[in-house]
């Protein structure tokens, strides 16, 4: 039988003593956690291990003995260590020894209660591991491990979950007894001491009252936002259509999570909280940088002065476009009566919109000043507000698109219904299917007249619909880019990516074994190294949820809507409205 003994590298130079750890019978593995040094009283060691086991709920016990012959010249020490097996009984009993003047390690696993015919000693594979890295790392499911180097043996995380869980659950053992304090002296990853800072301790003490105060303020704001005053029409309708309101509500949820006094139940929740904190800090920092730029060198005044000429220029180009459509665009012969009606209708809308813009021109600089001031809440809030401003400034283009789409949609559905009439079919509303139907001559005659009229009017309406749809898609593309940037800041797990960059062992995708110096007839010694999680998997695993207003509309669905004249809202759509 082959037994795997996981030995921490921090204990390789420890004094002789007892091996304390956990036995995993399912995998025939022994995870060594610490070394208890001489002198000690056996009853104190048992009481200490019982307290650690009760606090950590991990079966910590004495697994065997550790003899460092380079530090202990007494020849009778090994016999004394062997005699401890009668006091701290464990099956099998490990005997690890490092000989003097050599890198050779003696590894034995003795079974005192072995049945007849079964060897009393098991073969031992000694696996060295970095206890600090294993303690601080978080083992992820084996989705897809990165490429391994030549000579490395990849290992599934299923067999190593017990090792990682054992070390992670043994924090009480590492913190309850320091290397040079107490009646029992231990060696583990904290043997060289733990760095501490008085500033960190003061911050921890002040974090509790500050979080309570801020949590109370956030709950007060949430109560105000859910009051009856904000439920009166049309406030709920307006808030549901503005990206700024959704982004502010999203950030309030993040702040509530950050300043919550509830302790994280698992490392995943703790990682999410850290990612949210870094995301909010980065958002506010970028917003303050934008605010500094806007209020420096009178950039707001320059933007206000340039806004009116730009609006006039856009309106002039739209007027030229409509006049081109009212003539013979690209040499096409249009229905003149319908063409003139539609052209004058849209020109009147442009005239109304320009009048509205000039009426608001004295207040534009004040509006931009308050918009720039909103950047102190974060760059995402400023970008969402910019998206809403673009939607308001291009409202006339949206109206043109809606008018053209509705007329075109009526034409398409009218032609499809009349086409079914010629084939002797009709749409059954109750069964939601096409059924056969017999029509008389009057119905067929009227249907023929209507079909002819709609066919001859279709090119004129289709051309207007095509032009205004392209303009609307241009505006939607600009808004989509802004929302993608907002979604990137909201959902990118910056803390996890930084942790993967600076401390790759913290996010483990598995391990690899490297064979150390091997001698013939000697036990096999391996070094366990942590494989970090790939960056793509870090982003996918710890990606934060966004506002939910950026659904993934398929290209086929978008093309179908454009062909049939259905209204498209790819930049803004609720979860329940997805196709």
């Amino acid at each position: 039988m082959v037994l795997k003994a996981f030995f921490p590298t921090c204990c390789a130079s420890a004094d002789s003593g007892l091996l304390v750890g956990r036995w995993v019978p399912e995998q025939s593995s022994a995870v060594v956690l610490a070394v208890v040094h001489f002198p000690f009283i056996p009853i104190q060691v048992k009481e200490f291990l019982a307290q650690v086991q009760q606090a950590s709920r991990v079966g910590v016990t004495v697994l065997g003995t550790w003899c460092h012959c380079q530090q202990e010249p007494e020849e009778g020490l090994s016999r004394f260590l062997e005699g401890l097996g009668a006091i701290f009984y464990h099956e099998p009993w490990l005997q690890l020894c490092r000989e003097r003047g050599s890198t050779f390690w003696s590894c034995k696993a003795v079974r005192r209660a072995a049945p007849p015919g079964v060897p009393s000693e098991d073969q031992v594979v000694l696996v060295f591991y970095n206890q600090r890295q294993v303690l601080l790392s978080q083992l992820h499911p084996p989705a897809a491990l990165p490429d391994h180097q030549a000579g490395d043996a990849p290992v599934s995380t299923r067999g190593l979950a017990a090792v990682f869980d054992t070390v992670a659950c043994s924090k009480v053992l590492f913190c309850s007894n320091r290397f040079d304090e107490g009646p029992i002296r231990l060696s583990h990853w904290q043997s060289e001491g733990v760095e501490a800072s008085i500033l960190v301790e003061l911050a921890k003490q002040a974090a509790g009252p500050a979080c309570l105060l801020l949590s109370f303020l956030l709950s007060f704001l949430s109560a105000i936002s859910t009051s009856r005053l904000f439920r009166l029409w049309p406030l709920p309708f307006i808030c549901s259509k503005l990206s700024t309101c959704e982004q502010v509500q999203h950030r309030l949820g993040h702040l509530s999570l950050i300043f919550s006094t509830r302790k994280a139940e698992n490392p995943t929740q703790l990682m999410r909280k850290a990612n949210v904190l870094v995301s909010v800090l980065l958002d506010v920092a970028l917003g303050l940088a934008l605010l500094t730029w806007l209020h420096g060198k009178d950039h707001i005044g320059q933007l206000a002065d340039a806004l009116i000429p730009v609006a006039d220029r856009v309106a002039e180009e739209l007027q030229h476009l409509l006049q081109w459509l009212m003539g013979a665009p690209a040499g096409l012969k249009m229905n003149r009566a319908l063409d003139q009606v539609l052209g004058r209708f849209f020109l009147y809308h442009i005239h109304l919109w320009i009048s509205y813009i000039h009426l608001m021109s004295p207040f534009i600089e004040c509006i931009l000043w308050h918009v720039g001031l909103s950047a102190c809440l974060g760059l995402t809030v400023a970008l969402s507000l910019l998206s809403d401003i673009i939607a308001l400034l291009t409202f006339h283009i949206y109206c043109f698109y809606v008018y053209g789409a509705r007329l075109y949609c009526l034409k398409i559905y009218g032609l499809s219904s009349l086409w079914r009439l010629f084939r002797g079919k009709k749409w059954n509303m109750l069964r939601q299917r096409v059924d056969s139907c017999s029509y008389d001559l009057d119905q067929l005659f009227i249907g023929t007249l209507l079909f002819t009229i709609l066919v001859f009017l279709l090119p004129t309406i289709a051309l207007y619909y095509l032009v205004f749809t392209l303009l609307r898609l241009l505006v939607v593309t600009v808004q989509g880019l802004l929302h993608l940037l907002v979604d990137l800041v909201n959902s990118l797990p910056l803390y996890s990516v930084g942790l993967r960059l600076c401390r790759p062992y913290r996010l483990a995708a598995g391990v690899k074994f490297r064979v150390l110096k091997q001698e013939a007839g000697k036990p096999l010694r391996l070094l366990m190294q942590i494989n970090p999680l790939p960056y793509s998997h870090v982003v996918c695993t710890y990606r934060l949820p966004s506002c939910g207003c950026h659904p993934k509309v398929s290209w086929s669905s978008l093309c179908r809507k454009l062909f049939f004249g259905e209204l498209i809202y790819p930049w803004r759509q609720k979860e329940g409205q997805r196709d």
Side-chain angles (χ1 to χ4, degrees):
M1 181 178 179
V2 179
L3 185 146
K4 298 181 290 294
F6 291 87
F7 190 82
T9 55
C10 57
C11 298
S13 59
D15 297 336
S16 301
L18 297 175
L19 298 176
V20 176
R22 177 192 177 191
W23 170 253
V24 186
E26 297 84 4
Q27 304 174 13
S28 299
S29 302
V31 183
V32 179
L33 299 174
V35 176
V36 180
H37 302 303
F38 294 106
F40 57 81
I41 301 176
I43 188 63
Q44 292 181 348
V45 176
K46 290 185 177 181
E47 293 177 355
F48 171 72
L49 295 181
Q51 295 175 1
V52 172
Q53 183 174 356
Q54 183 178 3
S56 62
R57 297 182 180 179
V58 177
V60 180
T61 183
V62 177
L63 300 175
T65 58
W66 157 250
C67 180
H68 200 308
C69 294
Q70 293 181 350
Q71 298 178 352
E72 305 291 344
E74 294 84 356
E75 297 180 356
L77 179 62
S78 58
R79 297 181 180 179
F80 174 73
L81 293 176
E82 293 178 0
L84 292 176
I87 302 176
F88 304 98
Y89 180 78
H90 186 269
E91 189 76 13
W93 183 257
L94 294 179
Q95 295 180 356
L96 302 183
C97 180
R98 184 175 181 180
E99 296 182 353
R100 183 185 307 153
S102 174
T103 59
F104 167 66
W105 289 57
S106 175
C107 308
K108 296 181 181 180
V110 181
R111 294 183 180 270
R112 298 181 179 86
V118 177
S120 60
E121 293 186 6
D122 296 333
Q123 295 182 0
V124 180
V125 177
L126 189 59
V127 181
F128 294 94
Y129 71 96
N130 191 316
Q131 195 173 63
R132 179 177 180 273
Q133 293 185 1
V134 173
L135 175 65
L136 299 178
S137 63
Q138 183 178 354
L139 189 63
H140 292 76
L145 299 179
D147 296 335
H148 300 277
Q149 300 177 359
D152 296 334
V155 179
S156 174
T157 56
R158 296 180 180 178
L160 296 167
V163 179
F164 279 77
D165 292 342
T166 298
V167 180
C169 297
S170 302
K171 294 182 180 179
V172 179
L173 176 65
F174 303 142
C175 301
S176 61
N177 198 304
R178 294 289 299 277
F179 177 73
D180 53 355
E181 298 178 0
I184 300 176
R185 298 170 59 246
L186 299 177
S187 280
H188 43 70
W189 75 279
Q190 289 186 345
S191 299
E192 298 179 357
V194 182
E195 296 181 0
S197 173
I198 188 173
L199 297 178
V200 175
E201 297 299 328
L202 291 176
K204 290 181 180 180
Q205 295 296 329
C211 289
L212 285 175
L213 178 61
L214 293 174
S215 179
F216 173 76
L217 294 177
L218 291 174
S219 60
F220 179 71
L221 291 177
S222 301
I224 292 178
S225 62
T226 56
S227 61
R228 293 184 178 180
L229 179 62
F230 288 91
R231 294 181 182 178
L232 297 177
W233 193 89
L235 289 179
F237 176 78
I238 296 175
C239 293
S240 64
K241 300 301 180 182
L242 295 179
S243 302
T244 307
C245 296
E246 286 198 359
Q247 179 59 30
V248 170
Q249 185 178 2
H250 188 66
R251 278 306 183 200
L252 285 178
H254 281 176
L255 293 177
S256 301
L257 175 64
I258 293 173
F259 298 112
S260 175
T261 56
R262 181 182 301 177
K263 189 176 181 181
E265 299 179 357
N266 49 55
T268 303
Q269 294 183 0
L270 185 61
M271 188 71 71
R272 181 176 182 270
K273 194 172 184 178
N275 286 322
V276 169
L277 176 60
V278 175
S279 176
V280 171
L281 292 178
L282 178 64
D283 187 18
V284 174
L286 294 177
L288 293 177
L290 177 62
L291 181 64
T292 304
W293 180 82
L294 287 176
H295 289 273
K297 298 182 179 180
D298 196 24
H299 287 106
I300 293 182
Q302 297 175 6
L303 290 175
D305 295 337
L307 186 60
I308 299 300
V310 170
D312 291 337
R313 180 65 178 176
V314 172
E316 183 180 355
E317 293 296 332
L318 285 176
Q319 289 176 354
H320 290 316
L321 178 62
L322 288 174
Q323 291 173 0
W324 178 72
L325 291 176
M326 292 171 65
L332 298 176
K333 185 173 180 59
M334 314 293 291
N335 186 285
R336 184 162 184 79
L338 180 61
D339 193 11
Q340 293 295 322
V341 170
L342 292 178
R344 292 176 182 178
F345 178 75
F346 291 134
L347 284 175
Y348 180 70
H349 275 72
I350 294 178
H351 174 70
L352 290 179
W353 186 252
I354 289 300
S355 302
Y356 170 74
I357 291 295
H358 284 279
L359 183 64
M360 293 293 295
S361 59
F363 311 100
I364 288 180
E365 185 173 357
C366 182
I367 294 174
L368 291 179
W369 189 87
H370 287 88
V371 169
L373 192 62
S374 67
C376 64
L377 300 177
L379 179 64
T380 55
V381 176
L383 292 178
S384 300
L385 191 57
L386 178 61
S387 176
D388 293 334
I389 292 176
I390 292 176
L392 292 176
L393 292 178
T394 58
F395 184 71
H396 55 303
I397 297 179
Y398 174 72
C399 292
F400 296 164
Y401 164 69
V402 171
Y403 298 152
R406 290 305 184 191
L407 288 175
Y408 178 78
C409 184
L410 289 176
K411 293 287 184 181
I412 293 297
Y413 279 102
L415 289 174
S416 62
S417 179
L418 294 174
W419 178 250
R420 286 194 294 267
L421 182 143
F422 294 150
R423 295 183 299 142
K425 305 288 184 180
K426 73 171 184 178
W427 176 254
N428 192 334
M429 294 294 297
L430 297 177
R431 299 182 180 273
Q432 293 294 312
R433 68 183 184 185
V434 177
D435 294 334
S436 300
C437 181
S438 60
Y439 298 96
D440 53 20
L441 292 178
D442 294 337
Q443 291 176 333
L444 291 176
F445 177 73
I446 295 176
T448 303
L449 290 179
L450 293 177
F451 184 82
T452 305
I453 294 174
L454 292 180
V455 166
F456 282 105
L457 294 180
L458 180 63
T460 303
I461 296 178
L463 183 60
Y464 276 88
Y465 168 71
L466 176 62
V467 172
F468 293 135
T469 300
L470 293 178
L471 291 176
R472 182 58 188 164
L473 289 179
L474 179 61
V475 176
V476 167
T477 302
V478 175
Q479 289 184 286
L481 293 177
L482 293 176
H483 283 288
L484 284 178
L485 185 57
V486 171
D487 182 72
L488 182 65
V489 178
N490 283 334
S491 61
L492 189 63
L494 298 174
Y495 178 79
S496 300
V497 173
L499 198 64
R500 170 62 179 84
L501 179 63
C502 301
R503 295 184 178 181
Y505 60 86
R506 292 290 300 272
L507 304 176
V511 299
K512 58 183 178 183
F513 289 155
R514 184 168 62 89
V515 179
L516 299 177
K517 184 178 179 181
Q518 187 177 6
E519 301 179 14
K522 306 299 183 183
L524 179 62
R525 289 185 299 161
L526 303 176
L527 177 63
M528 187 177 73
Q529 297 176 338
I530 295 179
N531 279 331
L533 196 67
Y535 284 100
S536 59
H537 289 195
V538 172
V539 175
C540 294
T541 303
Y542 296 103
R543 185 179 178 88
L544 298 173
S546 185
C547 297
C549 58
H550 317 288
K552 297 180 179 178
V553 180
S554 62
W555 287 104
S556 59
S557 176
L558 181 62
C559 293
R560 182 185 62 83
K561 289 184 176 182
L562 290 175
F563 180 77
F564 288 102
E566 299 179 9
L567 297 181
I568 54 173
Y569 303 94
W571 78 101
R572 187 161 192 77
Q573 190 172 359
K574 294 293 185 180
E575 186 75 21
Q577 297 175 344
R578 297 185 183 182
D579 293 337

